[in-house]
Amino acid sequence: MGVPAILFRVSFLAILIKLALATNFIVGGPNGGWDTNSNLQSWASSQIFSVGDSLVFQYPPNHDVVEVTKADYDSCQPTNPIQSYNDGTTTIPLTSPGKRYFICGTIGHCSRGMKVEIDTLSSAITAPTPAASPEDSTTLPAESPEDSTTTPAESPEEIPTVPSPLFQTHLESPIFSPVIPSTEFPASVSPVAQHSPDLSASSTRKGNIQSFLAVVSSFLMIFMAF
């Protein structure tokens, strides 16, 4: 049996149950009716009205049934009726949820309590929603790890390191260490030897000349380095 056939049978069964449970409410009954002597508001508050039920108004020729708006219901004005009935036995089906207002159009009857407010609730019976068939639901297979291809990250190309020409050629200049003339006395000369009567003037001049040449040589080397 297909799903549409099951839905149709369930809906048809729900309609039959609703019709079987529908109630015809005699307004004001069973101890009263549509008249000025019945407490219609108390009667209406003790009932539960659902979609599919019906109201049955039974009344003599000096009464009628007028359906009005909320404002006209509060002010007992029958001059702008939604519907009006005067057949003595009026059946009004409750086809939708919400509030409806009824009064008697005879002058003075509404103000004496011949009015009723009906609050219709939604039907308690609803057709169940069938669960989804496993055949109807399609499940996509999970992607296999073998199907997924992973592209390895491309490594950056190796760039050969080329030394800069600025660093390839360099001039090797000789490093000259400046010779600072020493002002110290020769270690071999002792105070005793300086005052020795054997020290000749020629050896003193020779030492001075050597010192002078050493100083000149140092300055020349420094000048050539620049």
Side-chain angles (χ1 to χ4, degrees):
M1 183 182 297
V3 174
I6 294 176
L7 290 176
F8 175 77
R9 292 191 178 189
V10 171
S11 301
F12 183 72
L13 181 61
I15 293 173
L16 292 180
I17 294 175
K18 183 187 297 184
L19 293 176
L21 296 178
T23 304
N24 292 333
F25 292 92
I26 298 176
V27 178
N31 299 321
W34 184 240
D35 53 47
T36 57
N37 297 324
S38 300
N39 189 343
L40 297 173
Q41 297 303 321
S42 177
W43 171 83
S45 62
S46 64
Q47 309 297 327
I48 298 177
F49 305 100
S50 301
V51 173
D53 296 340
S54 298
L55 300 176
V56 179
F57 293 84
Q58 297 177 349
Y59 48 93
N62 61 328
H63 298 307
D64 61 5
V65 178
V66 181
E67 184 175 1
V68 294
T69 63
K70 177 66 167 61
D72 289 343
Y73 175 85
D74 293 336
S75 60
C76 288
Q77 292 293 332
T79 55
N80 297 311
I82 297 174
Q83 293 288 341
S84 61
Y85 311 91
N86 57 3
D87 53 4
T89 302
T90 302
T91 301
I92 300 177
L94 303 176
T95 57
S96 61
K99 292 184 178 182
R100 300 174 70 175
Y101 306 93
F102 302 93
I103 64 173
C104 178
T106 304
I107 297 175
H109 289 190
C110 176
S111 59
R112 292 167 59 184
M114 202 170 176
K115 56 192 296 188
V116 65
E117 174 184 333
I118 303 298
D119 188 7
T120 305
L121 304 178
S122 300
S123 178
I125 300 174
T126 57
T129 303
S133 174
E135 299 177 356
D136 298 336
S137 61
T138 58
T139 305
L140 296 178
E143 184 179 359
S144 175
E146 298 178 358
D147 298 337
S148 61
T149 58
T150 304
T151 303
E154 296 182 358
S155 59
E157 297 181 359
E158 296 182 358
I159 302 175
T161 304
V162 178
S164 175
L166 298 177
F167 298 97
Q168 282 184 343
T169 306
H170 60 277
L171 297 177
E172 296 182 358
S173 58
I175 301 174
F176 299 95
S177 300
V179 178
I180 301 173
S182 176
T183 57
E184 297 178 356
F185 293 100
S188 61
V189 180
S190 62
V192 179
Q194 289 180 0
H195 298 282
S196 176
D198 297 334
L199 183 62
S200 62
S202 59
S203 61
T204 303
R205 283 196 301 268
K206 184 178 179 180
N208 292 336
I209 293 171
Q210 290 178 353
S211 299
F212 177 75
L213 291 176
V215 172
V216 172
S217 177
S218 298
F219 277 106
L220 288 176
M221 291 176 66
I222 295 172
F223 177 77
M224 292 178 63
F226 288 99

